[in-house]
């Protein structure tokens, strides 16, 4: 449990990839006119109704959908990170998990990752094909490993949904954590679009 919370916290901090911002998150404000920047793609279909998922990240995807992607879920946990809340789905057999959530503390969205990449601050940086009409990037900052992937998808120019599988032996998606991350992000975006 301590390992999961530590990894979830690290994932959220990496997901922010920028200066920590404190204050109240605004969920319905339009993206800043200065975004996107640093070569990041614009989000063509921004989703503004995100307050419910920011408050309850586990509501983004029903457990049955997560189980269809990664196997039987033993339990879920919500983590209050500095950059936003995330949901952790812990699979049977353990200790495989996938953590996901919106990152409202990062006001620069995908642009923050493109800027960090331009400065040489990321050890992995791979833009991915559109996920449900939204641009994304697989990235990391030294935490790469078997069964692990970090995917950020632009929900708006100023907001990302970040997914981090941490998979171990016995999980059906162990050999394809980026595939799992993509499926989780796609499910969340479909549900956000219904809001």
């Amino acid at each position: 449990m301590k390992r999961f919370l530590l990894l979830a916290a690290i994932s959220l901090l990496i997901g922010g990839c920028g200066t920590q911002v404190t204050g109240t998150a605004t969920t319905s404000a339009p993206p800043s006119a200065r975004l996107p920047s640093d070569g990041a793609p614009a989000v063509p279909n921004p989703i503004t109704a995100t307050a419910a998922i920011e408050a309850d990240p586990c509501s983004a995807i029903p457990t049955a959908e997560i189980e269809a992607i990664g196997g039987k879920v033993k339990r879920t946990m919500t983590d209050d990170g500095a950059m936003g809340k995330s949901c952790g789905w812990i699979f049977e057999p353990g200790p495989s998990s996938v953590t996901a959530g919106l990152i409202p503390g990062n006001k620069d969205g995908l642009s923050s990752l493109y800027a960090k990449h331009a400065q040489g601050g990321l050890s992995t940086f791979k833009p991915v094909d559109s996920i449900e009409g939204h641009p994304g990037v697989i990235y990391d900052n030294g935490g790469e490993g078997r069964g692990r992937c970090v995917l950020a998808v632009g929900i708006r120019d100023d907001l990302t949904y970040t997914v981090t599988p941490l998979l171990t032996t016995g999980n059906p998606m162990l050999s394809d954590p980026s595939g799992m991350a993509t499926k989780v992000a796609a499910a969340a975006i479909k549900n956000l679009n219904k809001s």
Side-chain angles (χ1 to χ4, degrees):
M1 171 122 154
K2 287 181 182 176
R3 178 175 177 251
F4 170 77
L5 292 176
L6 175 63
L7 292 172
I10 290 169
S11 174
L12 281 174
L13 288 174
I14 291 171
C17 293
T19 304
Q20 197 168 351
V21 179
T22 57
T24 304
T26 55
T27 58
S28 59
S32 170
R34 63 182 175 77
L35 296 174
S37 64
D38 297 285
V43 176
N45 302 304
I47 300 170
T48 57
T50 59
I53 304 301
E54 287 179 38
D56 181 10
C58 293
S59 69
I61 310 166
T63 298
E65 287 185 45
I66 291 291
E67 289 184 333
I69 296 167
K72 179 74 175 159
V73 172
K74 183 176 182 179
R75 70 181 184 278
T76 60
M77 300 173 64
T78 301
D79 182 48
D80 290 323
M83 302 297 275
K85 292 182 179 182
S86 64
C87 183
W89 292 272
I90 294 84
F91 297 105
E92 295 178 0
S96 290
S97 65
V98 62
T99 303
L102 294 165
I103 312 293
N106 169 16
K107 302 296 185 193
D108 291 332
L110 288 179
S111 295
S112 67
L113 297 176
Y114 278 75
K116 191 122 181 148
H117 172 63
Q119 297 162 3
L122 295 174
S123 51
T124 296
F125 182 84
K126 298 177 186 171
V128 298
D129 291 337
S130 172
I131 299 170
E132 294 296 316
H134 292 260
V137 174
I138 291 173
Y139 70 99
D140 215 319
N141 193 15
E144 296 87 348
R146 183 173 186 245
R148 176 183 155 87
C149 169
V150 184
L151 169 68
V153 181
I155 299 302
R156 298 190 303 258
D157 288 341
D158 65 342
L159 182 66
T160 61
Y161 186 79
T162 300
V163 184
T164 307
L166 298 169
L167 308 177
T168 58
T169 302
N171 188 279
M173 296 296 289
L174 176 62
S175 64
D176 188 15
S178 60
M180 172 185 263
T182 299
K183 289 177 181 178
V184 170
I189 291 167
K190 284 178 186 174
N191 291 328
L192 278 164
N193 277 324
K194 292 177 186 174
S195 302

